[in-house]
Amino acid sequence: MREYATQMEAARKGICTPQMEAVAKKEQMSVPELMELMAQGKVIIPCNRLHTCIEPNAIGSMLKTKINVNLGTSRDWKDMEMELQKVRDAVEMGAESIMDLSSFGDTAKFRRRLTQECPAMIGTVPIYDAVVYYHKPLKEITAEEWLKIVEMHAKDGVDFMTIHVGINKNTAQRFKKNKRLTNIVSRGGSIIFAWMEMTGEENPFFQYYDRILDICREYDVTMSLGDACRPGCLEDASDISQLEELLTLGELTKRAWEKDVQVMVEGPGHMPMDQIAANMKIQQTVCKGAPFYVLGPLVTDVAPGYDHITAAIGGAMAAASGASFLCYVTPAEHLRLPDVQDVKEGIIASKIAAHAADIAKGVRGAMDWDRKMSAARKRLDWEEMCSRGIDPEKARAYRASAKPEKEDTCSMCGNFCALKNMNRILDGEIVSIYDE
Amino acid sequence: MREYATQMEAARKGICTPQMEAVAKKEQMSVPELMELMAQGKVIIPCNRLHTCIEPNAIGSMLKTKINVNLGTSRDWKDMEMELQKVRDAVEMGAESIMDLSSFGDTAKFRRRLTQECPAMIGTVPIYDAVVYYHKPLKEITAEEWLKIVEMHAKDGVDFMTIHVGINKNTAQRFKKNKRLTNIVSRGGSIIFAWMEMTGEENPFFQYYDRILDICREYDVTMSLGDACRPGCLEDASDISQLEELLTLGELTKRAWEKDVQVMVEGPGHMPMDQIAANMKIQQTVCKGAPFYVLGPLVTDVAPGYDHITAAIGGAMAAASGASFLCYVTPAEHLRLPDVQDVKEGIIASKIAAHAADIAKGVRGAMDWDRKMSAARKRLDWEEMCSRGIDPEKARAYRASAKPEKEDTCSMCGNFCALKNMNRILDGEIVSIYDE
């Protein structure tokens, strides 16, 4: 008999787990401080007890903001080894989480490779996999079959699962009554909505939520409450459908906590900047401080090819206002499956957003990086500036491509370099500029 | 005898200028409404009366946020025709303003070509040009010579000039007393500071401010009050030097208005996200609503190669909180002079920030673009999505590079396309997914 089923139960019982110890160190906080937040559900450590190679990370609004990268095999990307290489690259670049959204081929094999080899937390969306796994028309999949996939993923060592529990009959009815410009844009949400429409049944994840919680409890899978009604355009943001679903997710959060199941809540989506802080606050009140995992928010709809930037703006604001986990968005969003370069740009944009937010909300140690970088700038130490950069390779390539006249400046200002001239004048030197 | 010297004077006298009419139409506001804001100094129309080919634009916090692009010849980019082509491209991409920062060769010739041919507003920094023009050691340039360059630029038809008036002896003393991590990072600011240190004289732009205002009044040049003490790193943000200079800029704003000279104020810089709104508010109170022209703000120091993104985050927040004019920042910032691709990426990132902010602050008509884009998305009209995008060329290239299985979806979701499946299920069709 284990002393505890989940990290949350351990925290509530005052048991310090190895995961808590590892996390407390990384976050520069004490174990008792961390434990208290975990007991309240404000911090989670997604780590399936069968995912033994994990290097655990915690998610919570007062901690370093974490980022997730979506990958997986699909009809267009069938090569498992290549996809695993992308996973390794993503972890190398600083992703704390990988969501396996595989929708083609031997999905189980890829998933198991991940939980056997990858130190990042692994998330899945069982509903996508069910459609592939059962290989039959959507409406013929039974409630039992949907649940079986959840159990299978739990047994495969998945750390968190997105389950669209909130789009029940009640939410669906409100959605239909209150027209939206882009309806439901969540893949999983649209599948469950279609299934409910075709079968006339209640959302099986909602109906059998307790059974799902039992599975999560057994393996310590973190429940990531999916948002079927996240807005797909600015026009639909913060509308009745989105908020109705959020209220349900608040109730479902409480039920999970009653079984010591760790929970996070998923959120928008497309959203005007002026609504972001309000949404973060409302999620925190309705879901009693459960971590908020956001996709974006994308602050305008008009930038296909640049949605890593629209998401960086929204993600930074969201994280600074309380979100704790950012799903990356790549330049390929709305256009195609991302390639390797897109993945890289998406990760870096998300990391910038996360780090900027961490500084804004005073996460411990966040400013150190900037202080060291700027000290190197002041010293005109170009090698250190590059190596401390978020992407040393790109910084070096840029610098190498435009050799400055003077070693210690850059081709932007040359002799006009303010940093250099200030260092000199404050040292009492003569600054001439024109003939130097 | 002209009826009015400057657009501000015209507004104060109740005279409707052709520029006001053009601007009112673009901004979806009435001329009297615009005129009132201009009379108060809250809106400016930078347009030198000798820049006759200008298509005027206004700058003010309740109007569409405008963006500026820095270009110009330098030791590394001597080709004037190529630089003019970049200017045309930048205007084509939506830049409302071009700052000519030329620091090499026949700067007068390039500047005159700009005001003869370019419909965007043209800004300059006379202080850079002086160093090139006089071709002698910095400390030998006399106060009269500095002023002469200002007059020359005014006669050449320049619409606005950045003049570092605020870094006077008093500001310099406070700066020296309150140590900063990266001192002064403004090029013009560092030049004037060095000149003051070497000569022992007062900042000539400050000392002879009235004469400069007379020049501005004569040609209707907008004064862009430079911020020598803008923070060059997060650590220095919102410090005593920055705010001391801002107070002086507030006093100088008032003096310009007394002569009906149009004014905007320049601002940060590197700044943590949580300080941005406060800075925008303080600038508005201290400078009595004069438009705020910001460079960035860059919300972290650690992303060389990606400062178009750090600036998009900060710029969007700044504009949403009251800034009205964004200076673009390119991926090359802190590394090298930007090339053509960098310029493009910088412009698009700034436009995204500006547009997102315009939506957030409810600028008239801003949301229309997003509404039309999302309506096209809902209809799965890929050609319209691409052509309405902020960069149709990139969107089309992405889409063409990964042909989807089904014409009406994309390779991201394929059969799982939520928009498509929602359209079908709401039309009463059967959705199968697995075998489609």
Side-chain angles (χ1 to χ4, degrees):
Chain A
M1 185 67 191
R2 298 197 303 277
E3 278 188 292
Y4 57 88
T6 69
Q7 296 287 329
M8 186 182 212
E9 192 185 26
R12 285 172 166 180
K13 288 183 170 172
I15 299 166
C16 173
T17 67
Q19 291 80 11
M20 290 177 198
E21 268 187 72
V23 161
K25 208 166 185 178
K26 282 190 207 179
E27 304 284 353
Q28 305 182 21
M29 72 200 311
S30 72
V31 170
E33 196 180 357
L34 178 68
M35 216 183 256
E36 172 63 23
L37 292 165
M38 289 178 68
Q40 294 169 13
K42 289 180 180 166
V43 167
I44 54 175
I45 303 181
C47 56
N48 186 310
R49 62 184 178 81
L50 302 178
H51 184 191
T52 51
C53 66
I54 196 171
E55 289 167 14
N57 271 299
I59 297 172
S61 71
M62 62 301 297
L63 309 181
K64 179 169 174 283
T65 303
K66 308 303 185 298
I67 70 164
N68 170 68
V69 166
N70 293 332
L71 289 169
T73 55
S74 66
R75 271 179 210 243
D76 295 301
W77 300 89
K78 303 185 183 71
D79 186 337
M80 193 181 298
E81 289 309 321
M82 207 176 108
E83 210 57 22
L84 281 167
Q85 189 52 49
K86 280 199 218 164
V87 167
R88 283 187 282 267
D89 291 349
V91 173
E92 180 74 22
M93 280 189 266
E96 289 91 359
S97 164
I98 303 287
M99 283 196 83
D100 169 21
L101 305 187
S102 290
S103 62
F104 194 76
D106 191 346
T107 56
K109 193 169 164 191
F110 183 66
R111 185 169 57 246
R112 289 166 195 161
R113 283 286 296 275
L114 282 177
T115 57
Q116 276 154 22
E117 298 176 19
C118 183
M121 61 185 105
I122 304 297
T124 59
V125 189
I127 203 170
Y128 302 166
D129 194 33
V131 173
V132 182
Y133 185 80
Y134 293 117
H135 208 72
K136 61 180 177 180
L138 182 57
K139 76 171 187 181
E140 291 176 19
I141 298 175
T142 64
E144 282 302 321
E145 283 172 333
W146 290 118
L147 264 62
K148 198 181 137 192
I149 296 285
V150 171
E151 184 159 30
M152 190 166 81
H153 282 219
K155 284 183 176 165
D156 284 345
V158 164
D159 303 302
F160 68 92
M161 292 184 210
T162 295
I163 303 191
H164 298 83
V165 203
I167 176 84
N168 58 14
K169 279 194 169 183
N170 179 44
T171 311
Q173 194 174 11
R174 271 202 132 141
F175 156 73
K176 285 195 274 186
K177 203 165 76 183
N178 298 281
K179 299 277 176 239
R180 302 180 114 188
L181 180 51
T182 55
N183 294 316
I184 289 174
V185 297
S186 148
R187 286 203 289 194
S190 69
I191 292 170
I192 281 299
F193 178 81
W195 187 88
M196 288 161 68
E197 287 288 298
M198 292 189 292
T199 62
E201 304 284 320
E202 179 56 284
N203 176 343
F205 301 114
F206 180 76
Q207 189 164 6
Y208 302 106
Y209 187 57
D210 279 322
R211 282 178 57 193
I212 291 172
L213 291 177
D214 292 340
I215 296 167
C216 289
R217 182 178 165 86
E218 183 169 353
Y219 297 90
D220 199 0
V221 173
T222 296
M223 171 68 60
S224 189
L225 291 167
D227 57 332
C229 296
R230 73 165 171 269
C233 61
L234 299 193
E235 182 80 5
D236 294 342
S238 312
D239 75 343
I240 288 173
S241 299
Q242 183 198 319
L243 290 161
E244 164 67 43
E245 187 181 37
L246 181 66
L247 302 184
T248 306
L249 299 184
E251 291 163 346
L252 294 164
T253 297
K254 209 176 141 216
R255 284 174 61 188
W257 286 348
E258 284 162 10
K259 298 197 176 208
D260 305 320
V261 169
Q262 302 191 93
V263 186
M264 60 184 155
V265 176
E266 299 188 12
H270 292 238
M271 181 163 283
M273 289 170 67
D274 60 309
Q275 297 175 16
I276 293 175
N279 268 268
M280 299 306 118
K281 179 55 81 182
I282 293 304
Q283 185 272 341
Q284 291 289 292
T285 58
V286 167
C287 301
K288 305 287 180 204
F292 206 15
Y293 173 26
V294 297
L295 173 62
L298 276 57
V299 295
T300 167
D301 304 338
V302 304
Y306 299 88
D307 278 324
H308 60 311
I309 298 180
T310 65
I313 297 171
M317 294 182 69
S321 323
S324 44
F325 192 27
L326 302 180
C327 184
Y328 91 151
V329 174
T330 80
E333 187 74 17
H334 296 111
L335 291 169
R336 72 169 188 212
L337 213 62
D339 66 16
V340 178
Q341 181 61 26
D342 295 325
V343 168
K344 180 180 167 180
E345 289 189 44
I347 291 175
I348 290 177
S350 298
K351 281 188 65 173
I352 288 171
H355 179 64
D358 288 348
I359 291 166
K361 62 181 168 181
V363 168
R364 292 171 202 178
M367 265 287 284
D368 296 347
W369 187 7
D370 297 70
R371 229 175 258 121
K372 285 172 186 160
M373 170 64 92
S374 293
R377 257 189 199 134
K378 157 105 190 296
R379 290 194 312 272
L380 304 164
D381 183 337
W382 290 91
E383 176 42 35
E384 189 172 333
M385 278 183 252
C386 290
S387 65
R388 283 201 188 278
I390 199 158
D391 181 1
E393 193 188 348
K394 186 176 182 184
R396 284 195 193 101
Y398 260 63
R399 183 154 169 81
S401 70
K403 280 273 170 214
E405 306 166 86
K406 306 276 156 72
E407 268 295 307
D408 56 355
T409 66
C410 85
S411 64
M412 170 83 98
C413 302
N415 277 348
F416 284 86
C417 179
L419 281 164
K420 179 177 170 180
N421 290 329
M422 286 302 297
N423 287 347
R424 293 168 67 203
I425 198 77
L426 292 173
D427 277 350
E429 278 184 54
I430 297 296
V431 173
S432 180
I433 298 179
Y434 92 101
D435 60 348
E436 285 173 347
Chain B
M1 186 64 189
R2 294 196 305 277
E3 279 187 290
Y4 58 89
T6 69
Q7 295 288 329
M8 187 182 212
E9 191 184 27
R12 286 171 166 182
K13 288 183 169 171
I15 299 167
C16 173
T17 67
Q19 289 80 8
M20 290 177 199
E21 267 187 74
V23 161
K25 208 167 182 175
K26 282 189 210 181
E27 303 284 353
Q28 305 182 23
M29 70 198 313
S30 71
V31 171
E33 197 180 356
L34 178 67
M35 216 182 254
E36 173 63 24
L37 292 165
M38 291 178 67
Q40 295 169 12
K42 289 181 180 166
V43 167
I44 54 175
I45 303 181
C47 56
N48 186 309
R49 62 186 179 78
L50 301 178
H51 183 190
T52 50
C53 66
I54 196 173
E55 288 167 14
N57 272 300
I59 296 171
S61 72
M62 61 303 296
L63 308 181
K64 178 171 174 283
T65 304
K66 308 302 187 297
I67 69 164
N68 171 70
V69 166
N70 293 333
L71 290 168
T73 54
S74 67
R75 273 179 208 244
D76 294 301
W77 299 90
K78 302 185 182 74
D79 186 338
M80 192 182 297
E81 290 309 320
M82 207 177 107
E83 212 56 22
L84 281 167
Q85 188 55 48
K86 279 198 219 164
V87 169
R88 282 186 284 266
D89 290 348
V91 174
E92 180 74 25
M93 279 189 266
E96 288 91 359
S97 163
I98 303 289
M99 283 196 84
D100 169 22
L101 305 187
S102 291
S103 63
F104 195 77
D106 191 346
T107 56
K109 193 169 163 192
F110 182 67
R111 186 168 58 245
R112 289 166 195 159
R113 283 286 297 276
L114 281 178
T115 57
Q116 276 154 21
E117 297 176 17
C118 183
M121 60 184 106
I122 304 297
T124 60
V125 189
I127 204 170
Y128 302 166
D129 194 34
V131 173
V132 182
Y133 185 80
Y134 294 117
H135 208 71
K136 62 179 176 181
L138 183 58
K139 75 171 189 182
E140 292 175 18
I141 298 176
T142 65
E144 282 302 323
E145 284 173 332
W146 288 119
L147 264 61
K148 197 182 137 192
I149 296 284
V150 172
E151 184 160 30
M152 190 167 80
H153 281 219
K155 284 183 175 164
D156 285 344
V158 164
D159 303 303
F160 68 93
M161 292 183 210
T162 296
I163 302 190
H164 298 83
V165 201
I167 175 83
N168 57 16
K169 279 193 168 182
N170 180 45
T171 310
Q173 196 173 10
R174 271 204 131 141
F175 155 73
K176 285 195 276 188
K177 203 166 75 184
N178 298 281
K179 299 277 179 238
R180 303 180 117 189
L181 180 52
T182 55
N183 294 315
I184 288 175
V185 297
S186 148
R187 287 202 288 194
S190 68
I191 292 169
I192 280 300
F193 178 82
W195 186 89
M196 288 161 67
E197 288 288 296
M198 292 188 294
T199 63
E201 305 284 319
E202 178 56 283
N203 177 343
F205 301 114
F206 181 76
Q207 188 164 7
Y208 303 107
Y209 187 56
D210 278 323
R211 283 177 57 194
I212 289 171
L213 290 177
D214 292 341
I215 296 166
C216 288
R217 182 178 164 86
E218 184 171 351
Y219 298 90
D220 200 359
V221 173
T222 296
M223 171 68 60
S224 190
L225 291 167
D227 58 331
C229 296
R230 73 164 171 270
C233 62
L234 298 193
E235 183 80 6
D236 294 343
S238 312
D239 75 343
I240 289 173
S241 298
Q242 183 199 321
L243 290 162
E244 164 66 43
E245 186 181 38
L246 181 67
L247 301 184
T248 306
L249 299 185
E251 291 162 346
L252 293 164
T253 296
K254 208 174 141 214
R255 283 174 61 190
W257 286 347
E258 283 162 10
K259 298 199 175 203
D260 305 319
V261 169
Q262 303 192 93
V263 186
M264 60 184 156
V265 175
E266 298 188 13
H270 291 237
M271 181 162 284
M273 287 171 69
D274 59 309
Q275 297 175 17
I276 293 176
N279 268 267
M280 299 306 118
K281 178 58 78 181
I282 294 304
Q283 185 272 341
Q284 292 289 291
T285 59
V286 168
C287 302
K288 306 285 181 206
F292 206 15
Y293 173 25
V294 297
L295 175 62
L298 276 56
V299 294
T300 168
D301 305 338
V302 303
Y306 299 88
D307 278 325
H308 60 312
I309 297 180
T310 65
I313 296 171
M317 293 182 70
S321 324
S324 45
F325 193 26
L326 303 180
C327 185
Y328 90 150
V329 174
T330 80
E333 187 75 18
H334 297 110
L335 292 168
R336 72 169 189 212
L337 212 64
D339 67 15
V340 178
Q341 181 60 26
D342 295 326
V343 169
K344 181 180 167 180
E345 288 188 45
I347 291 175
I348 289 177
S350 299
K351 281 188 63 173
I352 288 171
H355 179 64
D358 288 349
I359 291 166
K361 61 181 167 179
V363 168
R364 291 172 203 178
M367 265 288 284
D368 295 347
W369 187 6
D370 298 69
R371 229 174 259 124
K372 284 174 186 159
M373 171 63 92
S374 294
R377 260 190 195 133
K378 156 105 190 297
R379 289 194 311 273
L380 306 163
D381 183 337
W382 291 90
E383 176 41 37
E384 188 172 334
M385 278 183 251
C386 290
S387 64
R388 284 201 186 277
I390 201 158
D391 182 0
E393 195 187 347
K394 186 175 182 186
R396 282 194 194 101
Y398 260 62
R399 184 154 167 81
S401 71
K403 279 275 171 213
E405 306 166 86
K406 304 277 155 73
E407 268 297 306
D408 54 355
T409 66
C410 85
S411 64
M412 170 83 98
C413 302
N415 277 348
F416 285 87
C417 178
L419 281 164
K420 180 177 169 181
N421 290 331
M422 286 302 296
N423 287 348
R424 292 168 68 204
I425 198 78
L426 291 173
D427 277 350
E429 276 184 55
I430 297 296
V431 173
S432 180
I433 299 178
Y434 92 101
D435 60 348
E436 286 174 342

